[in-house]
Amino acid sequence: MADITDIKTIIYTEKTLGLQEQGVVVIQTSPRVTKNGLKEVLKEYFGITPLRINSLRMDGKVKRFRGRVGVRDDFKKFYVKLPEGVSLENTEA
């Protein structure tokens, strides 16, 4: 079961800001979160019922630093379509 601590951040890039104008919010979470789990978290903590949720699993990049190889963490991205007039910025958790 997902929890509010599994949500890492809301992603703000040029692309996601354009999507926010259409009512879509992009959320980065831990890899173990499911669509139903995220839906429950949004209902419980924000009081929002999303219209649609699409998910995308992102593998961590392999990066080198000072000759050593390291791997960034894996994560999931969720594209959440919110009802019209609702946003996560004007709600309190």
Coordinates of all heavy atoms in Angstrom, one line a residue:
M1 N 0.8 -1.2 0.0 CA 0.0 0.0 0.0 C 0.9 1.2 0.0 O 1.9 1.3 0.7 CB -0.9 0.0 1.2 CG -1.7 1.2 1.3 SD -3.2 0.9 2.3 CE -3.7 2.6 2.6
A2 N 0.5 2.2 -0.8 CA 1.3 3.4 -0.9 C 1.0 4.3 0.3 O 0.0 4.3 0.9 CB 1.0 4.1 -2.2
D3 N 1.9 5.2 0.5 CA 1.8 6.2 1.6 C 2.3 7.5 1.1 O 2.9 7.6 0.0 CB 2.7 5.7 2.8 CG 2.4 6.5 4.0 OD1 1.4 7.2 4.1 OD2 3.2 6.5 5.0
I4 N 2.0 8.6 1.8 CA 2.4 9.9 1.4 C 3.9 10.1 1.3 O 4.4 10.9 0.5 CB 1.8 11.0 2.3 CG1 1.9 12.4 1.8 CG2 2.4 10.9 3.7 CD1 1.1 12.7 0.6
T5 N 4.6 9.3 2.1 CA 6.1 9.3 2.0 C 6.7 8.7 0.8 O 7.9 9.0 0.5 CB 6.7 8.6 3.3 OG1 6.2 7.3 3.2 CG2 6.3 9.3 4.6
D6 N 5.9 8.0 0.0 CA 6.4 7.4 -1.3 C 6.4 8.5 -2.4 O 7.0 8.3 -3.4 CB 5.5 6.2 -1.7 CG 5.7 5.1 -0.8 OD1 6.8 4.9 -0.3 OD2 4.7 4.3 -0.6
I7 N 5.7 9.6 -2.2 CA 5.7 10.6 -3.2 C 7.0 11.5 -3.0 O 7.1 12.1 -1.9 CB 4.4 11.5 -3.1 CG1 3.2 10.7 -3.5 CG2 4.6 12.7 -4.1 CD1 1.9 11.5 -3.4
K8 N 7.8 11.5 -4.0 CA 9.1 12.2 -3.8 C 8.9 13.7 -4.1 O 9.3 14.5 -3.4 CB 10.2 11.6 -4.7 CG 10.6 10.2 -4.3 CD 11.7 9.7 -5.2 CE 12.1 8.3 -4.8 NZ 13.1 7.7 -5.6
T9 N 8.4 14.0 -5.3 CA 8.2 15.4 -5.7 C 7.3 15.5 -6.9 O 6.9 14.6 -7.5 CB 9.6 16.0 -6.1 OG1 9.5 17.3 -6.4 CG2 10.2 15.3 -7.4
I10 N 6.8 16.8 -7.1 CA 6.1 17.1 -8.3 C 7.1 17.7 -9.2 O 7.9 18.6 -8.9 CB 5.0 18.1 -8.0 CG1 4.0 17.5 -7.0 CG2 4.3 18.6 -9.3 CD1 2.9 18.5 -6.6
I11 N 7.1 17.2 -10.5 CA 8.2 17.6 -11.4 C 7.8 18.9 -12.1 O 6.7 18.9 -12.7 CB 8.4 16.4 -12.4 CG1 8.9 15.2 -11.7 CG2 9.4 16.9 -13.5 CD1 9.0 14.0 -12.6
Y12 N 8.6 19.9 -12.1 CA 8.4 21.1 -12.8 C 9.5 21.3 -13.8 O 10.6 21.7 -13.5 CB 8.5 22.3 -11.8 CG 7.4 22.3 -10.8 CD1 7.6 21.9 -9.5 CD2 6.1 22.7 -11.1 CE1 6.6 21.9 -8.5 CE2 5.0 22.7 -10.2 CZ 5.3 22.3 -8.9 OH 4.3 22.2 -7.9
T13 N 9.1 21.1 -15.1 CA 10.0 21.3 -16.2 C 9.1 22.1 -17.2 O 8.0 22.3 -17.0 CB 10.5 20.0 -16.9 OG1 9.4 19.3 -17.3 CG2 11.3 19.2 -15.9
E14 N 9.8 22.5 -18.3 CA 9.1 23.3 -19.3 C 7.9 22.4 -19.9 O 6.8 22.9 -20.1 CB 10.0 23.6 -20.5 CG 9.4 24.6 -21.5 CD 10.5 25.1 -22.5 OE1 11.7 24.9 -22.2 OE2 10.1 25.6 -23.5
K15 N 8.2 21.1 -20.1 CA 7.1 20.3 -20.6 C 6.0 20.1 -19.6 O 4.8 20.1 -20.0 CB 7.7 18.9 -21.0 CG 6.7 17.9 -21.5 CD 7.4 16.6 -21.9 CE 6.4 15.6 -22.4 NZ 7.1 14.3 -22.7
T16 N 6.3 19.8 -18.4 CA 5.3 19.6 -17.4 C 4.4 20.8 -17.1 O 3.3 20.7 -16.7 CB 5.8 19.0 -16.1 OG1 6.7 19.9 -15.5 CG2 6.5 17.7 -16.3
L17 N 5.1 22.0 -17.2 CA 4.3 23.2 -16.9 C 3.3 23.4 -18.0 O 2.2 23.9 -17.8 CB 5.2 24.5 -16.9 CG 6.1 24.5 -15.6 CD1 7.1 25.7 -15.7 CD2 5.2 24.6 -14.3
G18 N 3.6 23.0 -19.3 CA 2.6 23.1 -20.4 C 1.5 22.1 -20.1 O 0.3 22.4 -20.4
L19 N 1.8 20.9 -19.5 CA 0.8 19.9 -19.2 C -0.1 20.4 -18.1 O -1.3 20.1 -18.0 CB 1.4 18.6 -18.8 CG 2.1 17.8 -20.0 CD1 2.8 16.6 -19.4 CD2 1.0 17.4 -21.0
Q20 N 0.4 21.2 -17.1 CA -0.4 21.7 -16.0 C -1.5 22.6 -16.5 O -2.5 22.7 -15.9 CB 0.5 22.4 -15.0 CG 1.2 21.4 -14.1 CD 2.0 22.1 -13.0 OE1 2.1 23.3 -12.9 NE2 2.6 21.3 -12.2
E21 N -1.2 23.3 -17.6 CA -2.3 24.2 -18.2 C -3.5 23.3 -18.6 O -4.6 23.8 -18.7 CB -1.7 25.0 -19.3 CG -0.7 26.0 -18.9 CD 0.0 26.7 -20.0 OE1 -0.4 26.4 -21.2 OE2 0.8 27.6 -19.7
Q22 N -3.2 22.1 -19.0 CA -4.3 21.2 -19.4 C -4.8 20.3 -18.3 O -5.7 19.5 -18.5 CB -3.7 20.2 -20.5 CG -3.2 20.9 -21.7 CD -2.4 20.0 -22.6 OE1 -2.5 18.8 -22.5 NE2 -1.7 20.6 -23.6
G23 N -4.4 20.6 -17.0 CA -4.9 19.9 -15.9 C -4.2 18.6 -15.5 O -4.7 17.7 -14.8
V24 N -2.9 18.4 -16.1 CA -2.2 17.2 -15.8 C -1.0 17.6 -14.9 O -0.2 18.5 -15.2 CB -1.7 16.6 -17.1 CG1 -0.8 15.4 -16.9 CG2 -2.8 16.2 -18.0
V25 N -0.8 16.8 -13.8 CA 0.3 17.0 -12.9 C 1.2 15.8 -13.0 O 0.8 14.7 -13.1 CB -0.2 17.1 -11.5 CG1 1.0 17.3 -10.5 CG2 -1.1 18.3 -11.3
V26 N 2.6 16.0 -13.0 CA 3.5 14.9 -13.1 C 4.2 14.7 -11.7 O 4.7 15.7 -11.2 CB 4.6 15.2 -14.2 CG1 5.6 14.1 -14.3 CG2 3.9 15.5 -15.5
I27 N 4.0 13.5 -11.2 CA 4.5 13.2 -9.8 C 5.6 12.2 -9.9 O 5.4 11.1 -10.6 CB 3.3 12.7 -9.0 CG1 2.2 13.8 -8.9 CG2 3.8 12.4 -7.6 CD1 1.0 13.4 -8.2
Q28 N 6.7 12.4 -9.2 CA 7.8 11.4 -9.1 C 7.6 10.6 -7.8 O 7.4 11.2 -6.7 CB 9.1 12.0 -9.2 CG 10.3 11.1 -9.1 CD 11.6 11.8 -9.2 OE1 11.7 12.9 -9.7 NE2 12.6 11.1 -8.8
T29 N 7.6 9.3 -7.9 CA 7.4 8.5 -6.7 C 8.5 7.3 -6.6 O 9.3 7.2 -7.5 CB 6.0 7.8 -6.7 OG1 5.9 6.9 -7.7 CG2 4.9 8.8 -6.8
S30 N 8.4 6.6 -5.5 CA 9.3 5.4 -5.4 C 8.7 4.3 -6.4 O 7.6 4.4 -6.8 CB 9.3 4.9 -4.0 OG 8.0 4.4 -3.6
P31 N 9.6 3.4 -6.8 CA 9.2 2.4 -7.8 C 8.1 1.4 -7.4 O 7.4 0.8 -8.2 CB 10.4 1.6 -8.1 CG 11.5 2.4 -7.6 CD 11.0 3.3 -6.5
R32 N 7.8 1.3 -6.1 CA 6.8 0.4 -5.6 C 5.4 0.9 -5.6 O 4.5 0.1 -5.4 CB 7.2 -0.1 -4.2 CG 7.0 1.0 -3.2 CD 7.5 0.5 -1.8 NE 7.1 1.4 -0.8 CZ 6.1 1.2 0.0 NH1 5.3 0.1 -0.1 NH2 5.7 2.0 1.0
V33 N 5.2 2.1 -6.0 CA 3.8 2.7 -6.0 C 3.1 2.2 -7.2 O 3.6 2.2 -8.3 CB 3.9 4.2 -5.9 CG1 2.5 4.9 -6.0 CG2 4.6 4.7 -4.7
T34 N 1.8 1.9 -7.0 CA 0.9 1.5 -8.1 C -0.1 2.6 -8.4 O -0.2 3.6 -7.6 CB 0.1 0.2 -7.8 OG1 -0.7 0.5 -6.7 CG2 1.1 -0.9 -7.5
K35 N -0.8 2.5 -9.5 CA -1.8 3.5 -9.9 C -2.9 3.6 -8.8 O -3.3 4.7 -8.4 CB -2.5 3.2 -11.2 CG -1.6 3.4 -12.4 CD -2.4 3.1 -13.7 CE -1.5 3.2 -14.9 NZ -2.3 2.9 -16.1
N36 N -3.4 2.4 -8.3 CA -4.4 2.4 -7.3 C -3.9 3.0 -6.0 O -4.6 3.6 -5.3 CB -5.0 1.0 -7.1 CG -5.8 0.6 -8.3 OD1 -6.4 1.4 -8.9 ND2 -5.8 -0.7 -8.5
G37 N -2.6 2.7 -5.7 CA -2.0 3.2 -4.5 C -1.9 4.7 -4.5 O -2.2 5.4 -3.5
L38 N -1.5 5.3 -5.6 CA -1.4 6.7 -5.8 C -2.8 7.4 -5.7 O -3.0 8.4 -5.1 CB -0.7 7.1 -7.1 CG -0.5 8.6 -7.3 CD1 0.4 9.2 -6.3 CD2 0.0 8.9 -8.7
K39 N -3.8 6.7 -6.3 CA -5.2 7.2 -6.3 C -5.7 7.3 -4.8 O -6.3 8.3 -4.4 CB -6.1 6.3 -7.1 CG -7.4 6.8 -7.3 CD -8.2 5.9 -8.2 CE -9.6 6.4 -8.5 NZ -10.3 5.5 -9.4
E40 N -5.4 6.3 -4.0 CA -5.8 6.3 -2.6 C -5.1 7.4 -1.8 O -5.7 8.1 -1.0 CB -5.4 4.9 -2.0 CG -6.3 3.8 -2.4 CD -5.8 2.5 -1.9 OE1 -5.0 2.4 -1.0 OE2 -6.4 1.4 -2.4
V41 N -3.8 7.6 -2.1 CA -3.0 8.7 -1.4 C -3.6 10.1 -1.8 O -3.8 10.9 -0.9 CB -1.5 8.6 -1.8 CG1 -0.8 9.9 -1.3 CG2 -0.9 7.4 -1.2
L42 N -3.9 10.3 -3.1 CA -4.5 11.6 -3.5 C -5.9 11.8 -2.8 O -6.2 12.9 -2.4 CB -4.6 11.6 -5.0 CG -3.3 11.7 -5.7 CD1 -3.5 11.7 -7.2 CD2 -2.5 13.0 -5.4
K43 N -6.7 10.7 -2.7 CA -8.0 10.9 -2.0 C -7.8 11.2 -0.6 O -8.5 12.0 0.0 CB -8.8 9.6 -2.2 CG -9.5 9.5 -3.5 CD -10.4 8.3 -3.5 CE -11.1 8.1 -4.8 NZ -11.9 6.8 -4.8
E44 N -6.9 10.4 0.1 CA -6.8 10.5 1.6 C -6.2 11.8 2.0 O -6.7 12.4 2.9 CB -6.0 9.3 2.1 CG -5.9 9.3 3.6 CD -5.1 8.1 4.0 OE1 -5.0 7.1 3.3 OE2 -4.7 8.1 5.2
Y45 N -5.1 12.2 1.4 CA -4.3 13.4 1.9 C -4.7 14.7 1.2 O -4.6 15.7 1.8 CB -2.8 13.1 1.7 CG -2.3 12.1 2.6 CD1 -2.1 10.8 2.2 CD2 -2.0 12.3 3.9 CE1 -1.7 9.8 3.0 CE2 -1.5 11.4 4.8 CZ -1.3 10.1 4.3 OH -0.9 9.1 5.2
F46 N -5.2 14.6 0.0 CA -5.5 15.9 -0.7 C -7.0 16.0 -1.0 O -7.4 17.1 -1.4 CB -4.7 15.9 -2.1 CG -3.2 16.0 -1.9 CD1 -2.5 14.8 -2.1 CD2 -2.6 17.1 -1.5 CE1 -1.1 14.9 -2.0 CE2 -1.2 17.2 -1.3 CZ -0.5 16.0 -1.6
G47 N -7.8 15.0 -0.8 CA -9.2 15.0 -1.1 C -9.5 15.2 -2.6 O -10.5 15.8 -3.0
I48 N -8.7 14.7 -3.4 CA -8.8 14.8 -4.9 C -9.0 13.4 -5.5 O -8.3 12.5 -5.2 CB -7.6 15.4 -5.5 CG1 -7.4 16.9 -5.0 CG2 -7.6 15.4 -7.0 CD1 -6.1 17.5 -5.4
T49 N -10.0 13.3 -6.4 CA -10.2 12.0 -7.1 C -9.7 12.3 -8.6 O -10.4 13.1 -9.3 CB -11.7 11.6 -7.1 OG1 -12.1 11.5 -5.8 CG2 -11.9 10.3 -7.9
P50 N -8.6 11.7 -9.0 CA -8.1 12.0 -10.3 C -9.0 11.3 -11.4 O -9.6 10.3 -11.2 CB -6.7 11.3 -10.3 CG -6.7 10.3 -9.2 CD -7.7 10.8 -8.2
L51 N -9.0 12.0 -12.6 CA -9.8 11.4 -13.7 C -9.1 10.3 -14.4 O -9.7 9.3 -14.8 CB -10.1 12.6 -14.7 CG -10.9 13.8 -14.2 CD1 -11.0 14.8 -15.3 CD2 -12.3 13.3 -13.7
R52 N -7.7 10.4 -14.5 CA -6.9 9.4 -15.2 C -5.5 9.4 -14.7 O -5.0 10.5 -14.3 CB -6.9 9.8 -16.7 CG -6.2 8.8 -17.6 CD -6.3 9.2 -19.1 NE -5.4 10.3 -19.3 CZ -5.9 11.5 -19.8 NH1 -7.1 11.6 -20.2 NH2 -5.1 12.5 -20.0
I53 N -4.9 8.3 -14.6 CA -3.5 8.2 -14.2 C -2.7 7.3 -15.1 O -3.2 6.2 -15.4 CB -3.4 7.6 -12.7 CG1 -4.1 8.4 -11.7 CG2 -2.0 7.4 -12.3 CD1 -4.1 7.9 -10.3
N54 N -1.7 7.8 -15.7 CA -0.7 7.1 -16.5 C 0.6 7.0 -15.8 O 1.0 7.9 -15.2 CB -0.5 7.7 -17.9 CG -1.8 7.8 -18.7 OD1 -2.7 6.9 -18.5 ND2 -1.9 8.7 -19.6
S55 N 1.3 5.8 -15.9 CA 2.5 5.6 -15.2 C 3.7 5.3 -16.2 O 3.4 4.8 -17.3 CB 2.4 4.5 -14.2 OG 2.2 3.3 -14.8
L56 N 4.9 5.6 -15.7 CA 6.1 5.4 -16.5 C 7.2 5.1 -15.5 O 7.5 5.8 -14.6 CB 6.4 6.7 -17.2 CG 7.6 6.7 -18.1 CD1 7.4 5.8 -19.3 CD2 7.9 8.1 -18.6
R57 N 7.8 3.9 -15.8 CA 8.9 3.5 -14.9 C 10.2 3.9 -15.5 O 10.5 3.7 -16.7 CB 8.9 1.9 -14.9 CG 9.8 1.4 -13.8 CD 9.6 -0.1 -13.7 NE 10.9 -0.8 -13.6 CZ 11.7 -1.2 -14.6 NH1 11.5 -0.8 -15.8 NH2 12.8 -1.8 -14.4
M58 N 11.0 4.6 -14.7 CA 12.3 5.2 -15.1 C 13.5 4.5 -14.4 O 13.5 4.4 -13.2 CB 12.4 6.7 -14.8 CG 11.3 7.5 -15.4 SD 11.4 7.7 -17.2 CE 12.9 8.7 -17.3
D59 N 14.4 3.9 -15.2 CA 15.6 3.3 -14.6 C 16.6 4.4 -14.3 O 16.7 5.3 -15.1 CB 16.2 2.3 -15.6 CG 15.3 1.0 -15.8 OD1 14.6 0.7 -14.8 OD2 15.3 0.4 -16.9
G60 N 17.4 4.1 -13.3 CA 18.4 5.1 -12.9 C 19.5 5.1 -13.9 O 19.9 4.1 -14.4
K61 N 20.1 6.3 -14.1 CA 21.2 6.5 -15.1 C 22.5 6.0 -14.4 O 22.7 6.1 -13.2 CB 21.4 7.9 -15.4 CG 20.3 8.5 -16.3 CD 20.7 10.0 -16.6 CE 19.7 10.6 -17.5 NZ 20.1 12.0 -17.9
V62 N 23.4 5.4 -15.3 CA 24.7 5.1 -14.8 C 25.6 6.3 -15.0 O 25.7 6.9 -16.2 CB 25.3 3.9 -15.7 CG1 26.7 3.6 -15.3 CG2 24.4 2.7 -15.5
K63 N 26.2 6.8 -14.0 CA 27.0 8.0 -14.0 C 28.4 7.7 -13.5 O 28.5 6.9 -12.6 CB 26.3 9.1 -13.2 CG 24.9 9.5 -13.6 CD 24.9 10.1 -15.0 CE 25.0 11.6 -14.9 NZ 24.9 12.2 -16.2
R64 N 29.4 8.5 -14.0 CA 30.7 8.3 -13.5 C 31.1 9.6 -12.8 O 30.8 10.7 -13.2 CB 31.7 8.1 -14.7 CG 31.5 6.8 -15.4 CD 32.4 6.7 -16.5 NE 32.1 5.5 -17.3 CZ 32.5 4.3 -17.0 NH1 33.3 4.0 -16.0 NH2 32.1 3.3 -17.8
F65 N 31.8 9.4 -11.6 CA 32.3 10.6 -10.9 C 33.7 10.2 -10.4 O 33.8 9.3 -9.6 CB 31.3 10.9 -9.7 CG 31.7 12.1 -8.9 CD1 31.6 13.3 -9.4 CD2 32.2 11.9 -7.6 CE1 32.0 14.4 -8.7 CE2 32.6 13.0 -6.9 CZ 32.5 14.3 -7.4
R66 N 34.7 11.0 -10.8 CA 36.1 10.8 -10.4 C 36.5 9.4 -10.7 O 37.2 8.7 -9.9 CB 36.3 11.1 -9.0 CG 36.1 12.6 -8.7 CD 36.5 12.9 -7.3 NE 36.3 14.4 -7.0 CZ 36.5 15.0 -5.9 NH1 36.9 14.3 -4.9 NH2 36.3 16.2 -5.8
G67 N 36.1 8.8 -11.8 CA 36.6 7.5 -12.2 C 35.8 6.3 -11.7 O 36.0 5.2 -12.0
R68 N 34.8 6.6 -10.8 CA 34.0 5.6 -10.2 C 32.7 5.5 -10.8 O 32.1 6.6 -11.2 CB 33.9 5.8 -8.7 CG 35.2 5.7 -8.0 CD 35.0 5.9 -6.5 NE 36.3 5.9 -5.9 CZ 36.6 5.2 -4.8 NH1 35.8 4.4 -4.3 NH2 37.8 5.3 -4.3
V69 N 32.1 4.3 -11.0 CA 30.8 4.2 -11.6 C 29.8 4.1 -10.5 O 29.9 3.5 -9.5 CB 30.8 2.9 -12.4 CG1 29.4 2.6 -13.0 CG2 31.8 2.9 -13.5
G70 N 28.7 4.9 -10.7 CA 27.6 4.9 -9.8 C 26.3 4.8 -10.5 O 26.2 5.1 -11.7
V71 N 25.2 4.5 -9.9 CA 23.9 4.4 -10.5 C 22.9 5.2 -9.7 O 22.8 5.1 -8.5 CB 23.4 2.9 -10.6 CG1 22.0 2.9 -11.2 CG2 24.4 2.0 -11.3
R72 N 22.1 6.1 -10.4 CA 21.1 6.8 -9.7 C 19.9 5.9 -9.4 O 19.8 4.8 -10.0 CB 20.6 8.0 -10.6 CG 21.7 9.1 -10.8 CD 21.1 10.2 -11.6 NE 22.1 11.2 -11.7 CZ 21.9 12.3 -12.6 NH1 20.8 12.4 -13.3 NH2 22.9 13.2 -12.7
D73 N 19.1 6.3 -8.5 CA 17.9 5.5 -8.1 C 16.9 5.4 -9.2 O 16.7 6.3 -9.9 CB 17.3 6.0 -6.8 CG 18.2 6.0 -5.6 OD1 19.1 5.1 -5.6 OD2 18.0 6.8 -4.7
D74 N 16.2 4.2 -9.2 CA 15.1 4.1 -10.1 C 13.9 4.8 -9.5 O 13.8 4.9 -8.3 CB 14.7 2.6 -10.3 CG 15.8 1.8 -10.9 OD1 16.7 2.3 -11.5 OD2 15.8 0.5 -10.7
F75 N 12.9 5.2 -10.3 CA 11.7 5.9 -9.8 C 10.6 5.7 -10.8 O 10.8 5.2 -11.9 CB 12.0 7.4 -9.6 CG 12.3 8.2 -10.7 CD1 11.4 8.9 -11.5 CD2 13.7 8.3 -11.1 CE1 11.7 9.6 -12.6 CE2 14.0 9.1 -12.2 CZ 13.0 9.7 -13.0
K76 N 9.4 6.1 -10.4 CA 8.2 6.1 -11.3 C 7.7 7.5 -11.5 O 7.8 8.3 -10.5 CB 7.1 5.2 -10.7 CG 7.1 3.8 -11.1 CD 5.8 3.1 -10.7 CE 5.8 1.7 -11.1 NZ 4.6 1.0 -10.7
K77 N 7.2 7.8 -12.7 CA 6.6 9.0 -12.9 C 5.1 8.7 -13.2 O 4.8 7.8 -13.9 CB 7.1 9.7 -14.2 CG 8.4 10.5 -13.9 CD 8.7 11.5 -15.0 CE 8.9 11.0 -16.4 NZ 9.4 12.0 -17.3
F78 N 4.2 9.5 -12.6 CA 2.8 9.4 -12.9 C 2.3 10.7 -13.5 O 2.5 11.8 -13.0 CB 2.1 9.1 -11.6 CG 2.3 7.7 -11.0 CD1 3.2 7.5 -10.1 CD2 1.5 6.7 -11.5 CE1 3.4 6.2 -9.6 CE2 1.7 5.4 -11.0 CZ 2.6 5.2 -10.0
Y79 N 1.6 10.6 -14.6 CA 0.9 11.7 -15.2 C -0.6 11.6 -14.7 O -1.3 10.7 -15.1 CB 0.9 11.6 -16.7 CG 2.3 11.8 -17.3 CD1 3.2 10.7 -17.4 CD2 2.7 13.0 -17.7 CE1 4.5 10.9 -17.9 CE2 4.0 13.3 -18.2 CZ 4.9 12.2 -18.3 OH 6.1 12.4 -18.8
V80 N -1.0 12.6 -13.9 CA -2.3 12.5 -13.2 C -3.2 13.6 -13.8 O -2.8 14.8 -13.7 CB -2.1 12.7 -11.7 CG1 -3.5 12.7 -11.0 CG2 -1.2 11.7 -11.1
K81 N -4.3 13.2 -14.4 CA -5.3 14.2 -14.9 C -6.2 14.5 -13.8 O -6.9 13.7 -13.2 CB -6.0 13.6 -16.1 CG -7.1 14.4 -16.6 CD -6.6 15.6 -17.4 CE -7.8 16.2 -18.1 NZ -7.5 17.5 -18.7
L82 N -6.3 15.8 -13.4 CA -7.1 16.3 -12.3 C -8.4 16.9 -12.9 O -8.4 17.3 -14.0 CB -6.4 17.3 -11.5 CG -5.1 16.9 -10.8 CD1 -4.4 18.0 -10.2 CD2 -5.3 15.7 -9.9
P83 N -9.5 16.9 -12.1 CA -10.7 17.5 -12.5 C -10.5 19.0 -12.7 O -9.5 19.6 -12.2 CB -11.6 17.3 -11.3 CG -11.1 16.2 -10.5 CD -9.6 16.2 -10.8
E84 N -11.3 19.6 -13.6 CA -11.1 21.0 -13.9 C -11.3 21.9 -12.7 O -12.2 21.7 -11.9 CB -12.1 21.4 -15.0 CG -11.8 22.7 -15.6 CD -12.6 22.9 -16.9 OE1 -12.9 21.9 -17.6 OE2 -12.9 24.1 -17.2
G85 N -10.4 22.9 -12.6 CA -10.4 23.8 -11.4 C -9.7 23.3 -10.2 O -9.7 24.0 -9.2
V86 N -9.1 22.2 -10.2 CA -8.4 21.6 -9.1 C -6.9 21.5 -9.4 O -6.5 21.1 -10.5 CB -9.0 20.2 -8.8 CG1 -8.2 19.5 -7.6 CG2 -10.4 20.2 -8.5
S87 N -6.1 21.9 -8.4 CA -4.7 21.7 -8.5 C -4.1 21.3 -7.2 O -4.7 21.5 -6.1 CB -4.0 23.0 -9.0 OG -4.1 24.0 -8.0
L88 N -2.9 20.7 -7.2 CA -2.3 20.2 -5.9 C -1.7 21.4 -5.2 O -1.4 21.3 -4.0 CB -1.2 19.2 -6.2 CG -1.7 17.8 -6.7 CD1 -0.5 16.9 -7.0 CD2 -2.6 17.2 -5.6
E89 N -1.4 22.5 -5.9 CA -0.8 23.7 -5.2 C -1.7 24.4 -4.2 O -1.3 24.9 -3.3 CB -0.3 24.7 -6.3 CG 1.0 24.3 -7.0 CD 0.7 23.2 -8.1 OE1 -0.4 23.2 -8.6 OE2 1.6 22.4 -8.4
N90 N -3.0 24.4 -4.5 CA -3.9 25.1 -3.6 C -4.6 24.2 -2.6 O -5.6 24.6 -2.0 CB -5.0 25.9 -4.4 CG -5.8 25.0 -5.3 OD1 -5.8 23.8 -5.2 ND2 -6.6 25.6 -6.2
T91 N -4.1 23.0 -2.4 CA -4.6 22.1 -1.4 C -3.6 21.9 -0.3 O -2.4 22.1 -0.5 CB -4.9 20.7 -2.0 OG1 -3.7 20.2 -2.5 CG2 -6.0 20.7 -3.0
E92 N -4.0 21.6 0.9 CA -3.1 21.4 2.0 C -3.0 20.0 2.4 O -4.1 19.3 2.5 CB -3.6 22.3 3.2 CG -3.5 23.8 2.9 CD -3.1 24.6 4.0 OE1 -2.7 24.0 5.1 OE2 -3.2 25.8 3.9
A93 N -1.8 19.5 2.6 CA -1.6 18.1 3.0 C -1.5 18.0 4.5 O -1.1 18.9 5.2 CB -0.4 17.5 2.4

